[in-house]
Amino acid sequence: MTRSHEHAAEPADSAETAGPVPRAPQTGQGPAGSQADEAQAAAAPSDGEQGIGRGDAPAPGDDPDLELGAGDHEGTEDPEHGGTGVPAADLELSAPADEGAEADGPDRAAADSPDEGPGDEQASQPEPGASGDTGASRSRGPRRPRRRPSRPRTWRSLARRSTAVTTALLLTAAATGLVLWGRSAPAAPAAPVEALSVVESGGTAVYACQAAPKNTLAVVDAGETTSHTVITPVGQAAEATWGQEALDAGATTSMDTASGGVLTIESAGERAASAAGVVTSLTPGGELRGLSAAPCTQPQSVAWIVGGSAALGASAELRLENPGVTSVTVKVALYGSSGRLSLPSNGEVTISAGKAASMLLESGDSQDERLALSIEAEGGSVVPALATESLEGETPAGVDLITPGAGPSTDSLIPGVEIVEGGAQGDATSGTGAASGEASVVRVANPHSEAATVSVTMVGPDGASPLPGAQDVAIDPGSVFDISLRGVAPGAYGVRVTSDMPVASGVRLVRTAAEYPARSGVLMRDKAWIQPAAPDAVAHGVLSIPRSGGLTSTVSLSNSGARRTVRLADVAGSWHQDVVVPASRTVAVEVPTQVSAVTLSAEGGTEGLGAATVVTAQAAQATAGTLISVVPAVPDASSGERKQIILN
């Protein structure tokens, strides 16, 4: 290699003395191109004292003309060295490539080389004197482009890379340390969290009072009805309004109607005012013979009603009242003897503000003699009720108006259960062989997808005793089951229902009369449905005691827990009585005849307490017999405004 460089040096001197060499054309192999190649080869060893061969790379900054860019297609001229104007692509800078250049491969080298047109292929031939190649090598075809030499890394670039690597290592170590610390650090002890009761002062209480059953069976002889609506404001009420009519906020109002309506009570003090309202309807004769009595209740977002029938000859009308100021969407789930029952529109209905809607449960495929239903409101709350009517052939089978009680629970108490001798409640046939198609029962609904195990206990005046044949009863998933009360001794009871999972429950009381029509073989009857005691109904509740129109009322208190003392007080403040209810006992309370409503309060908690008024009336002549209904205690307005807030 050294010998070829020395031979190339001689023409270089002659080239310098002869003057500038004409610029070689970029295409063709004529004499001008040959002279340009010779001049380029002769100039190679004349760049200072150091020649540039295959094993030498130019030092950074030594010769800026040899540092080629990505787009250097123009010829390079160097007056100092007698530049020949040869294109930059023709300068072959063969230097040892660094590791990164070798790793890039031919694709990277091709990308870094300038674009070469057809004329560049011949201009890129290797120089005969630069590498010792002979002239014959010029005819081999286009030379593969070479990647420009990379500059050696300076101390600054090395410092930057070292800093980046060090920073990444430090961040990784810090993150790893945080993770390990989080796993090994002991958890902070959790402070006990308790519910805080917050009572809203004053405000407006809204109630809905239900109308009497409306002959949804469309019978011809509905009978004559005596109706009453009695409303008594409770607490410091500033105003009382019945629909658009103003009532006396400081006295009891009695109306000879059972058309129903919305009751609004405005408070005058710091505590919300309430109301004790009840609607009664007595029909002693006709095909709708019976007695219904229902309290005025406040709106709810979730409610359960257990009772009623949709079998042939029976009607169950679900009523939904929306006394609010926004539309509410209500979803109804109906359960029957064998599981869920279908409803029109899948049980969904939208109720506009201030409006009401109704739904007949016997429509479609829901004809079943055992019913239970849940009501859920979205976007507000509603006041639900279930009006029932029954007719067995031509024989009156009773009416009632059911309002919600407590929802599904593993331990429920149903107060106001009065048992009479078997022949008077449908358990036996009459002397003529006539029978009642219904008897007193405990109804249990299992809304779950698994079977529930249920036991029933009678809480009576002498203590609690298990109901025979009603221990560890399996209730199929989604089904409704009736448990007979046959054989229970006459008296006042509370029915306790316990289970291994929450179930809904209720009690049906039956009062039978004579055979009607004659020789029909069917006994007339009336019935009353009772729901489990609502939460806070005894601790902060009101209880109506209807007496007008010849009605007889008896107040019953049941206690399935420890001993409690319950205070009953006249709303007007003229009478009160503290009643001790022993554990697992039911007590009947005598209330003066002039008292139409009482407030209830209890010390030491209200778990296992229930109160109700058992209302009866006597029919005469051909339809003689006892008619019955039960009015449950309801929480007052302050209980409705009391919220449980978890402070986290």
Side-chain angles (χ1 to χ4, degrees), residues 1-2 5 33 93 133 150 211 243 290 300 331 364 378 406 433 469 503 506 552 599 601 641:
M1 294 296 293
T2 306
H5 281 297
L93 303 179
D133 293 340
S150 60
Q300 298 174 274
K331 295 181 179 179
E378 295 181 358
V503 296
T552 301
T599 60
S601 59
E641 294 175 352

Side-chain angles (χ1 to χ4, degrees), residues 598-611:
V598 296
T599 60
L600 302 172
S601 59
E603 298 291 338
T606 61
E607 184 177 356
L609 276 177

Side-chain angles (χ1 to χ4, degrees), residues 388-478:
T388 64
E389 302 171 3
S390 298
L391 188 66
E392 186 175 352
E394 298 180 18
T395 305
V399 298
D400 201 15
L401 194 56
I402 313 172
T403 55
S409 174
T410 57
D411 192 346
S412 300
L413 179 66
I414 306 170
V417 180
E418 281 197 358
I419 302 297
V420 296
E421 57 89 16
Q425 63 178 16
D427 291 338
T429 59
S430 66
T432 62
S436 169
E438 297 172 307
S440 298
V441 297
V442 179
R443 178 167 293 181
V444 180
N446 175 18
H448 305 286
S449 58
E450 300 178 0
T453 302
V454 176
S455 298
V456 178
T457 302
M458 304 301 294
V459 180
D462 299 325
S465 59
L467 178 65
Q471 304 304 302
D472 297 329
V473 178
I475 310 297
D476 292 336

Side-chain angles (χ1 to χ4, degrees), residues 521-601:
V522 181
L523 298 176
M524 290 182 297
R525 57 188 177 272
D526 190 23
K527 52 180 169 284
W529 285 99
I530 318 170
Q531 306 299 296
D536 288 340
V538 177
H540 307 278
V542 294
L543 178 63
S544 294
I545 308 173
R547 302 180 186 275
S548 56
L551 303 179
T552 301
S553 295
T554 303
V555 175
S556 178
L557 298 177
S558 295
N559 177 22
S560 63
R563 175 180 175 178
R564 295 285 191 275
T565 298
V566 180
R567 166 164 287 199
L568 288 77
D570 179 19
V571 173
S574 61
W575 170 87
H576 73 271
Q577 181 178 347
D578 291 334
V579 180
V580 177
V581 186
S584 302
R585 294 288 194 279
T586 293
V587 176
V589 182
E590 293 186 4
V591 179
T593 56
Q594 71 273 15
V595 177
S596 61
V598 296
T599 60
L600 302 172
S601 59

